Amino acid sequence: METVGAEKTDADARAGGSSGAGEPSAGDRGAGPVIAGAGPVAGPVERATVRLRDGEPEEPPRYAPEWLRLREGADAAARARELLDPLRIRLADPPGRSGGLVVHDLGCGTGSMGRWLAPRLDGAQHWILHDRDPYLLHFAAAASPRSAADGSPVTVETRRGDVARLTPDALTGALLVTASALLDVLTREEIEALADACAGAGCPALLTLSVAGRVELAPQDPLDAEIAEAFNAHQRRAGLLGPDAVTVACEAFAERGATVRVHASPWRLGAEEAALTEQWLRGWVGAAVEQRPELGDRAAAYLSARLAACAAGALRVTVHHTDLLALPRPRGAAA
């Protein structure tokens, strides 16, 4: 989710999508703080996901607006525009549509998904923004777009609720569900609940920027692969799906009759994105060390060298993500 996924979610409590929980280690050792959401910031048993259940005690925010602002440009450049045409075709004349387009944005964070997508769709739109953090919801509502691609009005409302327990009733009247950097901080059961809710409501889902588990750095370093492997293991802690999320989501939506399309949506970070790359590096390495503490000294030296290269404009990073579009079977169609 764009909550910091997540983008969420963000939904973004991890580097390049969302990050795990834990005490900062190599991620900030002697090199400055890690913005909340860019790396390990919470306790080891806490879930880095949108947590919106009524009656739960208030928790400190896991996602900082500063991190969301930092990554918004890279997110916008990465999202797969190739999925927009099939989405527009489906939304052009959806069954049961009598008014404007109603969009539910799950784990909206500061609302970057709406700022990216609403101006790319025609027609009046009403966005319902979901997040656990009222602070982020305030940012999202205040900075929401006001007009669609054709100049039609865009309106918003905000809701606190648990996207992991989303039901078809919660999506009554929805014509589209969106999320960014969210899937990889969910469990298999939560993704299946999301697919159930979308299928029950008969609405498409555009779910962007899920981590793919692959990172490329240039120049290369012998420790790259080891850090990446430890980070991916960290993403899978406590039953979260991490890099496996898109595969699980594809299966879940397809089993419910949806046509599923996926497309790569990598971050491509160079000298102009140095501030984002720096924070991403701290979170990425910090999560890896939390997962494998024995990496500590080697990872600290690795991070120092990578940060120096980043500051000099000599580092290039590709963080691979995947976007998913699920188009449900039209209501009344044969199974």
Side-chain angles (χ1 to χ4, degrees):
M1 85 225 120
E2 301 275 316
T3 318
V4 164
E7 182 213 332
K8 61 99 55 155
T9 150
D10 129 122
D12 276 8
R14 131 212 97 221
S18 54
S19 158
E23 295 299 321
S25 51
D28 65 350
R29 188 177 299 171
V34 181
I35 294 176
V41 291
V45 298
E46 290 184 308
R47 290 284 308 282
T49 186
V50 281
R51 187 60 57 182
L52 305 168
R53 295 182 176 87
D54 293 336
E56 287 193 349
E58 289 296 321
E59 301 172 13
R62 294 192 181 89
Y63 309 111
E66 293 81 5
W67 167 246
L68 293 172
R69 291 193 200 100
L70 196 57
R71 64 173 289 169
E72 184 165 348
D75 286 350
R79 289 192 184 95
R81 289 166 173 78
E82 293 82 355
L83 298 180
L84 293 182
D85 279 346
L87 177 61
R88 290 186 186 107
I89 291 169
R90 172 57 66 90
L91 296 178
D93 189 23
R97 178 172 178 174
S98 58
L101 177 66
V102 178
V103 184
H104 286 250
D105 187 10
L106 309 181
C108 68
T110 58
S112 68
M113 184 66 171
R115 287 189 290 276
W116 180 81
L117 183 58
R120 289 175 166 82
L121 299 177
D122 286 335
Q125 301 169 37
H126 182 67
W127 283 68
I128 300 172
L129 309 178
H130 299 254
D131 206 287
R132 65 172 291 274
D133 188 339
Y135 185 55
L136 294 180
L137 285 172
H138 169 77
F139 276 97
S144 64
R146 294 296 183 253
S147 59
D150 60 357
S152 298
V154 175
T155 58
V156 300
E157 68 177 272
T158 61
R159 292 184 188 175
R160 297 186 71 192
D162 184 358
V163 302
R165 294 183 181 231
L166 202 65
T167 66
D169 288 345
L171 297 180
T172 299
L175 294 174
L176 175 63
V177 166
T178 69
S180 194
L182 174 66
L183 288 181
D184 39 72
V185 292
L186 299 180
T187 65
R188 179 179 294 272
E189 293 74 18
E190 288 166 345
I191 284 181
E192 289 179 349
L194 174 60
D196 277 337
C198 292
C203 64
L206 179 62
L207 309 169
T208 68
L209 295 171
S210 298
V211 292
R214 294 184 297 117
V215 174
E216 299 167 17
L217 298 95
Q220 296 180 343
D221 184 280
L223 202 56
D224 290 347
E226 202 168 351
I227 296 290
E229 182 181 0
F231 175 81
N232 288 342
H234 189 279
Q235 293 296 94
R236 296 182 174 106
R237 299 196 329 176
L240 304 186
L241 289 170
D244 307 317
V246 170
T247 297
V248 171
C250 286
E251 294 170 352
F253 280 98
E255 286 170 358
R256 289 154 179 83
T259 299
V260 181
R261 302 178 185 225
V262 296
H263 201 283
S265 53
W267 277 358
R268 301 189 187 278
L269 308 180
E272 293 183 355
E273 296 79 25
L276 173 60
T277 304
E278 176 188 342
Q279 282 296 322
W280 174 83
L281 277 167
R282 296 187 195 284
W284 188 59
V285 175
V289 173
E290 184 182 275
Q291 182 68 21
R292 290 185 52 196
E294 67 273 16
L295 289 172
D297 290 339
R298 287 189 297 148
Y302 170 91
L303 178 61
S304 294
R306 286 306 199 188
L307 289 173
C310 177
L315 182 66
R316 301 292 182 271
V317 180
T318 301
V319 182
H320 290 276
H321 303 96
T322 304
D323 289 4
L324 180 154
L325 174 64
L327 301 172
R329 182 187 297 116
R331 289 181 173 178

